Amino acid sequence: MVFNTGAALLDAVVLAVVSKEADGTYGYKITQDVREAIEVSESTLYPVLRRLQKDDCLEVYDMEYGGRNRRYYKVTTKGIVQLNLYLKEWKNYSSRINHIFEGVD
Amino acid sequence: MTKASFMKELESLLSNISTEERESALQYYEDYFADAGDEKEEDIIAELGSPKKVAKIIQMEYNSAMHSGDIDGIYTENGYKSTKYGEDKYEVLNASEKIEENTDNSKKDSYYNDSDNMYNNTKDHSYDNNYNSNYYYSSNREEPRREKSNLWLIIILAILAIPVGIPVIVTVFALAISAVAVVFSLMIAFFALSIGLFGGGVVAVVAGIITLFTLPMNGIFMGGVGLILLGLGILFGIVSITIVKTLLPGFIRGIVNFLSKIVHRKKIIT
């Protein structure tokens, strides 16, 4: 992986991944899904999830699974708004980069 | 390392953050291991590195969360200006490599050692700013300097404040101790009062019954007074027990909270 992922992009990716599940999803699965796109360490995501939760972009709830309580993360309305801002920024940004790269032979 | 010893060490490394945060983090990793399955346990432990690394990542996020304001960023016509990403951001991929043992000074030192690290830290916090290595290095050097001069200012201020500070602190301390002493002695007084009243009441009732046989009127009077004393004694007893049950735990908890707040604040500054 050549390009490093900034914090904002990581937040956006996490929000996008979680938003794809209507009922929310759990830490391990989130990490696996994010890793399909970018290489993150397993220890990277917890602070991100925690921060998004504190910023009210994600909400948590516990549900029983296999005899224990599993914590699920779900996008909030504010989280969706934030995600849309990120998506718009990303479109802008990536198109500018693409434009620069297109001119190269 | 086994998962159990990993988690145990992580727990003790996180003892300096709030209980709620610590338990949330520990629960997250317990769940993570459980969801991954036993066969993945070793791989995960290998990839997490050491409990120290994991703890550092959690603590840094905790500290920056304590300091940052509420507004994450605003959407302006020049693009999304992130008010927080300029300040405290880490290179997420290499974060675990960058964490060195002496990061207690500025958390930025650990992040900016890698020259590949491009994007995030820009002076005006706008994250669509261009990659400019000079910009990046100068802001890197400014931060540690600012931190050091802040520390010196604080030290000088503390030294200058000693002549006034020490008597003030001593007085506050003495007042606190005397307040505690007053509360305690009131409690003891109430107890003593209730016991005394109760005892006196019993004696009076007994004496009254005895006198009944010789001087009936006197006997009845004494018995009555004794019953009143008994009643008052029971009343005061109930009051003092309630005081002990409610005030004392609240008091002790208040002192512990106050002390732990001081300890925590010290940890965050350093």
Side-chain angles (χ1 to χ4, degrees), chain A residues 11 35 39 42 68 70, chain B residues 21 32 35 47 85 93:
Chain A
D11 277 8
R35 280 173 127 185
E39 287 171 21
E42 266 138 351
R68 59 180 174 93
R70 197 192 240 169
Chain B
E21 287 292 336
Y32 195 88
D35 284 326
E47 211 194 301
Y85 289 140
L93 289 192

Side-chain angles (χ1 to χ4, degrees), chain B residues 190 193-199 201 225-240:
Chain B
F190 267 151
L193 195 60
S194 63
I195 293 179
L197 283 170
F198 201 79
V225 170
L227 287 174
I228 294 179
L229 291 179
L230 262 176
L232 284 175
I234 294 178
L235 191 67
F236 271 104
I238 295 179
V239 169
S240 36

